[in-house]
Amino acid sequence: MKTWELIANMIKEQGIEYVFGIGDTDLQLYADQVKGLNAINLRYEGSAPFMAMAYSRLTGKPGVCSGSSGPGVASLVPGALEAFSGCVPMIIFAPSINQKTEGMGEFQECDQIGMMKPVTKWSARITDIERIPWFVERAFSIAMNGQPGPVFLEMPINLGGKLTSGILVDVEPLQNYKPVKKIRTAGDPILIKDAVELLHSAKYPVIIAGNGLVSAKAHNNFRNFIELLGIPFLTTPGGRGIVEESHPLSLGVCGIYRTEHAKNYYKVADLVISIGSRNEGFQSHSWADFPLGAKFIQIDISPFEIGRNWKPDVAIVGDADLVLQQLLENLKSGYSHILNNQSYLERERIQELAKKKENYEKEVDKECLSEEIPIPAKRIVHEVSKVFGENTILVNENGSQDTWSYCYPYYKIQKGSSCIPVAEQTCMGMGVVGAIAAKLVNPDKKVVCIVGDGAFQMYMKELPTAAQYKAGCTWIVLNNSAFGWIKYNQLKFAGKDISTFKIQPDFVKWAEACNCSGIRVEQPSETKPALEKALQLNEKGIPVVLDIITGLDLSHFEKAL
């Protein structure tokens, strides 16, 4: 077996279905020859890690991508940075120059490991043919275990061979290969009991549900936990989808995306429970969002994150799903007399909260009936939420108007739905290409990406990829002919606007040129029919771009900031 062929087979044995790249590496070529492994060939190397992130978010497995040496690897750095920020397990493979002539000015010679080291958990070079299995197994183990994250592996040409002329390797037969398993750790039993004591004494507890819950696939135990105790919860953007936002206990997203009814409950909380969240600046209003006098329980997979921002009264290091299971067992066995078998829906404070939530949703419904032109972004986002509904994967972007899609109930994560957010680095374009990967992974789900025209232009080069693989997803392009935040800052602080795009492409024509469908929307009454048409086309495997003309409205976020 050839060296890169061996790696492709080991990836397949890990249960990975896709390898993302532009098709110019040995890994991509051999991946297409391994049954059950598919090489997704893109238009731009920089798209590959973003698609691998979306794959990982939906499957819980490490995403895999590759790039050619030199500038190819450099193009992967922003995606590695985003994955590192979002604690997303990923393996990046690349060839490198011949070790025998290193330092002599080889073609595309550069310090690839040096580039990747700051934005990965581990960056290494395969040093010997016989050690390939060790390096690959080590890469998967590091990426998956503890606080997940990306890993970079390079293989010199003198070990991997030149393109299509690989070097043979004699290794242990693959039928004896045992895939690397994720190691899950439970919490300290003493600290579990301390946390239960705080839960018992709290009258107004609240949970901040982070990305770590989704990464741990803790959906069932989290639902059981909040319903047993009747604890309302906020999510970070990364925690969104752990339980549907139509749930009576959901308060929406925290930090700058927090809505008024959530703010009112949160500020009187006497116990905050953070699960799987770093509680970064955007998620905490730069750490100002902590209820006065409240106790704090912090649960995280990484000891490094404990006490990094707010100092916890009880800190539990462990897998979020296992820790929740421990808490549930302790609550049910030692405190069943306190719970009284009363449904959380029967409790007065939950009924009061549910009523306020219902009233707030009605206010937003009314607010989003505006017939204003250009169409307000919040109305567009609200319409998308209603038309796409359940069983939808929302792929977020980073911009100005698309941030309405982070705000419940303007967009509501409903039953059977999930969310793929950008991480804290907020690399623009991640959502544009992530939507394609989402549709490949879950072809039976509706997939929608809400994106500004600025971010869309950065990665709309991948529309032909969506058409090629019949990835029937929809991009809602909120078109205000500008980078919204940049325009806002220029107007507010400099008194002039130099960010408006003087030449704007015709997104409908671009979509059609890429074998996708394009629809332009200018009137509020056109929005719903266009969305329904998009879903019909998506069912046929046709990607759709909705170019919807909107303005710049940052009123909600001005108040938040």
Side-chain angles (χ1 to χ4, degrees):
M1 187 175 289
K2 294 179 181 178
T3 50
W4 282 108
E5 182 184 6
L6 170 63
I7 291 175
N9 276 276
M10 292 182 73
I11 292 169
K12 162 62 171 55
E13 291 300 314
Q14 282 292 150
I16 309 299
E17 298 94 344
Y18 298 105
V19 176
F20 300 98
I22 65 170
D24 66 337
T25 64
D26 289 275
L27 179 58
Q28 292 287 106
L29 294 171
Y30 284 113
D32 254 350
Q33 298 176 30
V34 176
K35 187 177 180 180
L37 188 62
N38 303 284
I40 304 300
N41 297 320
L42 313 174
R43 270 57 181 178
Y44 172 48
E45 284 152 323
S47 303
F50 292 141
M51 294 185 75
M53 281 182 68
Y55 170 87
S56 179
R57 170 78 176 190
L58 294 173
T59 65
K61 305 173 188 176
V64 176
C65 61
S66 70
S68 57
S69 58
V73 171
S75 294
L76 302 177
V77 170
L81 171 65
E82 194 70 23
F84 189 64
S85 172
C87 303
V88 178
M90 181 191 299
I91 318 291
I92 302 169
F93 291 95
S96 64
I97 56 102
N98 195 322
Q99 288 173 297
K100 297 177 181 178
T101 54
E102 186 173 10
M104 296 172 64
E106 273 275 16
F107 176 64
Q108 294 185 331
E109 180 175 353
C110 66
D111 185 1
Q112 297 181 162
I113 292 175
M115 279 195 287
M116 284 292 185
K117 194 170 184 179
V119 294
T120 57
K121 287 184 70 179
W122 186 52
S123 290
R125 171 184 289 176
I126 298 173
T127 55
D128 187 82
I129 286 177
E130 282 70 28
R131 293 192 68 196
I132 289 174
W134 182 88
F135 276 98
V136 175
E137 289 177 17
R138 185 74 177 150
F140 275 100
S141 179
I142 291 173
M144 294 163 58
N145 289 312
Q147 190 176 64
V151 165
F152 173 73
L153 273 186
E154 67 173 23
M155 183 153 66
I157 287 177
N158 55 296
L159 301 184
K162 294 183 178 180
L163 203 62
T164 72
S165 60
I167 295 173
L168 291 172
V169 56
D170 183 17
V171 297
E172 183 180 354
L174 274 171
Q175 56 263 34
N176 295 329
Y177 175 72
K178 295 181 180 179
V180 176
K181 301 292 185 183
K182 184 174 181 178
I183 301 168
R184 301 198 303 156
T185 55
D188 184 328
I190 295 175
L191 295 175
I192 294 290
K193 292 184 181 299
D194 290 344
V196 168
E197 290 291 342
L198 285 181
L199 286 164
H200 163 48
S201 59
K203 293 182 178 180
Y204 295 98
V206 67
I207 294 174
I208 298 173
N211 179 65
L213 278 163
V214 177
S215 178
K217 299 295 180 186
H219 300 72
N220 289 337
N221 277 328
F222 182 75
R223 183 185 296 273
N224 292 339
F225 182 70
I226 61 171
E227 291 182 353
L228 179 68
L229 295 177
I231 303 181
F233 69 97
L234 291 147
T235 71
T236 67
R240 211 171 178 197
I242 188 66
V243 169
E244 66 275 8
E245 289 171 343
S246 52
H247 193 284
L249 294 171
S250 172
L251 296 173
V253 185
C254 63
I256 68 167
Y257 310 107
R258 191 177 60 180
T259 47
E260 200 63 33
H261 84 289
K263 183 178 180 179
N264 291 335
Y265 181 88
Y266 185 82
K267 69 183 180 183
V268 299
D270 57 358
L271 174 64
V272 177
I273 307 133
S274 170
I275 310 177
S277 172
R278 287 170 165 167
N279 300 310
E280 293 107 326
F282 263 31
Q283 299 167 13
S284 63
H285 277 112
S286 298
W287 306 284
D289 280 353
F290 196 87
L292 185 65
K295 298 290 186 180
F296 181 39
I297 298 173
Q298 185 178 9
I299 300 167
D300 202 277
I301 191 68
S302 170
F304 179 78
E305 301 299 338
I306 298 299
R308 187 177 180 186
N309 301 317
W310 299 319
K311 184 177 180 180
D313 295 280
V314 176
I316 302 173
V317 175
D319 176 86
D321 194 42
L322 289 182
V323 171
L324 284 172
Q325 186 175 320
Q326 289 176 286
L327 290 170
L328 283 165
E329 289 170 355
N330 274 263
L331 285 162
K332 289 177 180 178
S333 62
Y335 293 88
S336 57
H337 61 289
I338 296 167
L339 302 173
N340 294 324
N341 296 318
Q342 183 188 33
S343 167
Y344 69 95
L345 292 173
E346 299 173 20
R347 298 168 197 175
E348 185 177 343
R349 66 180 175 86
I350 301 303
Q351 290 176 345
E352 181 183 347
L353 185 66
K355 186 63 177 176
K356 289 180 179 178
K357 179 175 179 177
E358 180 185 356
N359 291 338
Y360 184 73
E361 289 190 6
K362 288 178 180 178
E363 288 176 16
V364 170
D365 287 341
K366 186 177 179 180
E367 177 187 348
C368 291
L369 291 174
S370 168
E371 295 298 320
E372 183 182 345
I373 296 174
I375 312 168
K378 56 188 173 184
R379 169 171 177 157
I380 300 166
V381 169
H382 196 48
E383 200 75 68
V384 173
S385 180
K386 290 191 291 184
V387 173
F388 274 72
E390 298 181 352
N391 299 311
T392 294
I393 301 172
L394 168 66
V395 189
N396 283 128
E397 253 301 338
N398 168 54
S400 59
Q401 300 314 288
D402 53 81
T403 46
W404 287 103
S405 67
Y406 287 86
C407 293
Y408 158 87
Y410 295 92
Y411 190 99
K412 187 190 298 184
I413 302 295
Q414 300 177 48
K415 185 178 180 181
S417 298
S418 56
C419 177
I420 301 175
V422 293
E424 203 70 11
Q425 293 293 325
T426 61
C427 289
M428 296 178 75
M430 182 267 166
V432 177
V433 296
I436 303 172
K439 192 63 180 181
L440 293 174
V441 173
N442 288 119
D444 296 330
K445 296 272 190 181
K446 292 166 281 187
V447 176
V448 62
C449 173
I450 299 176
V451 56
D453 54 309
F456 187 66
Q457 288 180 71
M458 291 185 178
Y459 281 85
M460 66 184 190
K461 60 174 73 72
E462 294 297 354
L463 261 62
T465 304
Q468 177 178 331
Y469 292 101
K470 295 180 171 57
C473 52
T474 293
W475 292 273
I476 310 296
V477 181
L478 302 175
N479 187 350
N480 62 5
S481 297
F483 286 121
W485 281 115
I486 295 172
K487 180 177 180 178
Y488 168 78
N489 285 327
Q490 288 175 348
L491 288 171
K492 185 168 183 177
F493 301 108
K496 59 181 179 179
D497 167 26
I498 58 172
S499 72
T500 300
F501 300 150
K502 305 302 181 185
I503 299 176
Q504 184 78 319
D506 187 324
F507 295 127
V508 172
K509 289 182 178 178
W510 175 257
E512 292 170 349
C514 298
N515 282 354
C516 300
S517 179
I519 304 171
R520 186 176 176 88
V521 175
E522 297 182 0
Q523 301 292 327
S525 60
E526 298 170 349
T527 307
K528 184 177 179 182
L531 291 167
E532 292 171 342
K533 179 65 174 177
L535 282 176
Q536 292 170 7
L537 292 168
N538 287 168
E539 288 175 2
K540 299 175 183 177
I542 300 171
V544 178
V545 175
L546 294 189
D547 179 14
I548 307 182
I549 307 305
T550 188
L552 182 64
D553 176 16
L554 296 173
S555 57
H556 176 74
F557 304 101
E558 281 182 316
K559 288 190 290 184
L561 293 170

